Amino acid sequence: MLREFGIDDILLLLTGAKWTVLLSLIAFTGGGLLGLMVAIGRVFGPGPLKFLIECYIRAIQGTPLLGQLFLFYFGFSIFGFDVSAWVAISVAMVFFSSAFLGDSWRGCIEAIPKTQWEAADALGMSFVQKLCYVVLPQAARIAIPSTVGFMAQIVKNTSLAAVVGFVDLLRMGQLVTAATFQPLTVYLVVAFMYFAMCYPLSQWSRILERRYNATHQH
Amino acid sequence: MPLINIESIHKTFGKLEVLKGVSLDIAAGEIVVIIGRSGSGKSTLLRCINGLEKVESGKVVVDGTEVSAAKADLRALRQKIGIVFQSFNLFPHLTIEKNVTLAPRVVKKVSPDEAKKAAITALERVQIANKSGAYPSQLSGGQQQRVAIARSLAMSPKIMLFDEITSALDPELVGEVLKVLENLASEGMTMVLVTHEMGFARKVANRVVFMHEGKVWEQGAPETLFKSPKTPELAGFINSVL
Ligand SMILES: Nc1ncnc2c1ncn2[C@@H]1O[C@H](COP(=O)(O)OP(=O)(O)OP(=O)(O)O)[C@@H](O)[C@H]1O
Ligand SMILES: [Mg+2]
């Protein structure tokens, strides 16, 4: 039974979009926190830790996100944990994001010249003080463009979650299409909704970059 | 008891022996200028004084604390020793005022108000108080270098180390920085300076130390040292820089 595409369908799509946003937020906050630890451990940790983190990053970056989703989704149940698609996907997305952000932030931390550490050293600052007041704030500014760019990637990548039955925006688009058989209209609306989520991110990144450049004309 | 006591220190980088048994005593209030050719170990010697470089053997004692000891509390020590580098090394993400207040606030736990007052005083001493809201990149090299001096002064150090702090500056900006150094000297600050400004050395130093190939080759009062060098190496060096 086909129905006309109408306001109800838009509301359905918005429900899907809500889950997309939520999943993206989880992936980004969880991935960001874990990613910060990954970056710091990778730069300052003892040798074996650095090696382990390097393996972690390589493993995650060297396999497709889709594969990781399946791994977590089915992996949990094999080990007897009965978790929802929701949890499995969240965990997979957090790991995926942490590897990407950790690796990119590592580069930003290492880009801060040794002389900055030395200047802070000479003033008697502790390691944590040097990190928090001198190095990380500068690294954060360098990290802005790639980080915000990655946030937009995450939003789009959440659509992979549909394959394990998670009803995000794209999956909801498929369901609505099946009910209305108006793929063009539906997917245009879906595309617009993705755009509405990602565009502000890229604008925000541009604003931050400009503000940063205004005080740093080296 | 001298304020700084350096006893036959050795320092190597890989296979390169940079300091080959350097001994030097510096009294409180003394102004010592270190001169010498590039690579003679001047910067390394300076950096050993506040523990930025570890020595392999020998002893460095500053104000009763052994810097070279394995368990030396370098953080406490560095609060007493300011160092200014050739390349300023200001914190680019912080305003001038925050550059100067950061260490007093986080290291000495001074209240924000007090830190701000100390910063204003320090910035006045280097004659740059009107720039406190600017960022380092908005300042000229000479201004940045004076802020770097103020940043050290705000910690109320007993000793100031300066490593070729005018070498990276345009010639017309050198004067303003030397002026600040002269003022500091006249206030009785203990200062150790590496510099190529021979005129300044003559005018301000109590003692000039000539380093050559990792050793203190010759030292003495500026007049005698410059007028009648005892070694051909110093004579040659003086000729090459004058
Ligand atoms: N961190 C380091 N690693 C390896 N070699 C170093 C290091 N620091 C200094 N050296 C070497 O030690 C020697 C002495 O260096 P130092 O910087 O003390 O000389 P300098 O007298 O200050 O010279 P300049 O006038 O060029 O500044 C040089 O040959 C330099 O290349
Ligand atoms: Mg040097």
Side-chain angles (χ1 to χ4, degrees):
Chain A
M1 256 238 302
L2 291 184
R3 60 163 194 264
E4 279 297 304
F5 181 80
I7 190 80
D8 287 348
D9 297 299
I10 298 221
L11 288 177
L12 275 176
L13 289 177
L14 281 175
T15 338
K18 182 183 77 188
W19 292 116
T20 291
V21 169
L22 215 59
L23 187 54
S24 304
L25 282 178
I26 288 176
F28 190 73
T29 13
L33 287 176
L34 191 57
L36 190 62
M37 290 191 258
V38 165
I40 290 178
R42 178 68 186 74
V43 182
F44 306 108
L49 181 64
K50 279 186 190 172
F51 177 74
L52 282 181
I53 292 178
E54 192 61 26
C55 293
Y56 171 81
I57 293 173
R58 293 288 154 251
I60 291 182
Q61 291 193 339
T63 52
L65 175 57
L66 191 58
Q68 291 160 28
L69 285 180
F70 280 131
L71 190 71
F72 278 99
Y73 185 60
F74 295 113
F76 272 124
S77 49
I78 285 170
F79 287 104
F81 293 104
D82 186 22
V83 298
S84 62
W86 190 204
V87 173
I89 292 158
S90 304
V91 172
M93 293 291 295
V94 163
F95 283 135
F96 176 75
S97 311
S98 74
F100 180 92
L101 292 174
D103 199 31
S104 121
W105 292 347
R106 170 196 61 82
C108 298
I109 293 174
E110 286 174 346
I112 306 306
K114 204 172 139 262
T115 50
Q116 287 288 304
W117 287 94
E118 240 174 46
D121 250 337
L123 291 164
M125 290 191 205
S126 67
F127 174 74
V128 174
Q129 290 168 345
K130 286 183 276 190
L131 197 61
C132 294
Y133 295 108
V134 176
V135 175
L136 288 186
Q138 293 185 61
R141 286 165 194 224
I142 309 175
I144 288 169
S146 64
T147 303
V148 179
F150 181 69
M151 283 165 90
Q153 288 288 328
I154 290 185
V155 172
K156 288 180 272 182
N157 274 334
T158 52
S159 61
L160 286 178
V163 298
V164 290
F166 184 74
V167 185
D168 70 330
L169 176 53
L170 190 66
R171 178 76 186 132
M172 192 59 94
Q174 291 170 338
L175 298 177
V176 170
T177 305
T180 62
F181 210 68
Q182 293 185 331
L184 193 62
T185 323
V186 174
Y187 286 118
L188 273 175
V189 174
V190 166
F192 174 77
M193 285 183 179
Y194 274 113
F195 180 77
M197 291 181 242
C198 296
Y199 184 71
L201 287 177
S202 65
Q203 282 309 97
W204 184 45
S205 143
R206 229 160 270 163
I207 291 168
L208 289 175
E209 246 182 294
R210 217 176 292 139
R211 190 185 303 163
Y212 165 63
N213 286 336
T215 53
H216 288 74
Q217 321 104 330
H218 290 297
Chain B
M1 184 70 191
L3 189 53
I4 302 172
N5 166 233
I6 300 169
E7 257 176 59
S8 58
I9 57 171
H10 289 257
K11 172 76 194 172
T12 48
F13 289 113
K15 285 201 180 104
L16 182 70
E17 190 171 21
V18 177
L19 297 181
K20 305 170 183 170
V22 172
S23 298
L24 194 66
D25 280 352
I26 296 170
E30 215 182 347
I31 293 152
V32 174
V33 165
I34 301 174
I35 58 173
R37 287 188 200 287
S38 177
S40 56
K42 305 181 298 293
S43 300
T44 308
L45 174 60
L46 216 57
R47 293 159 60 86
C48 287
I49 296 179
N50 73 347
L52 281 179
E53 302 289 357
K54 283 241 162 293
V55 299
E56 270 102 45
S57 66
K59 208 163 80 166
V60 180
V61 182
V62 176
D63 198 22
T65 309
E66 188 175 342
V67 186
S68 44
K71 283 184 296 192
D73 184 356
L74 289 180
R75 290 189 54 209
L77 189 87
R78 284 173 185 155
Q79 297 178 34
K80 294 192 238 171
I81 310 175
I83 184 165
V84 184
F85 306 94
Q86 178 176 345
S87 53
F88 328 141
N89 304 350
L90 293 177
F91 304 130
H93 61 299
L94 299 178
T95 61
I96 299 313
E97 182 182 310
K98 294 237 169 80
N99 260 277
V100 180
T101 54
L102 180 63
R105 277 196 303 111
V106 307
V107 178
K108 284 193 157 177
K109 316 279 186 223
V110 167
S111 76
D113 278 354
E114 248 178 282
K116 188 168 176 165
K117 256 188 245 159
I120 292 172
T121 314
L123 287 168
E124 273 166 1
R125 273 169 94 180
V126 300
Q127 288 142 30
I128 202 162
N130 57 341
K131 295 278 187 194
S132 56
Y135 283 89
S137 60
Q138 297 166 325
L139 268 52
S140 75
Q143 290 172 325
Q144 289 191 53
Q145 195 55 293
R146 285 185 283 144
V147 172
I149 296 172
R151 182 174 66 176
S152 283
L153 288 178
M155 293 293 279
S156 327
K158 285 190 166 178
I159 300 163
M160 286 288 291
L161 311 175
F162 299 94
D163 191 359
E164 294 197 37
I165 67 167
T166 56
S167 298
L169 299 177
D170 292 336
E172 72 270 22
L173 300 177
V174 169
E176 63 189 55
V177 174
L178 292 183
K179 179 114 205 320
V180 166
L181 291 182
E182 278 177 43
N183 289 345
L184 268 183
S186 67
E187 288 164 20
M189 174 69 78
T190 308
M191 294 163 58
V192 186
L193 309 99
V194 174
T195 183
H196 292 305
E197 300 287 334
M198 294 304 148
F200 173 82
R202 250 187 203 160
K203 190 159 140 201
V204 179
N206 304 127
R207 180 158 44 124
V208 174
V209 173
F210 172 61
M211 286 200 57
H212 187 67
E213 292 182 347
K215 290 186 175 139
V216 172
W217 207 255
E218 218 181 310
Q219 57 174 314
E223 280 314 311
T224 34
L225 202 80
F226 286 124
K227 274 216 188 91
S228 43
K230 292 194 197 77
T231 57
E233 288 80 9
L234 177 56
F237 176 75
I238 292 173
N239 266 332
S240 69
V241 292
L242 293 186

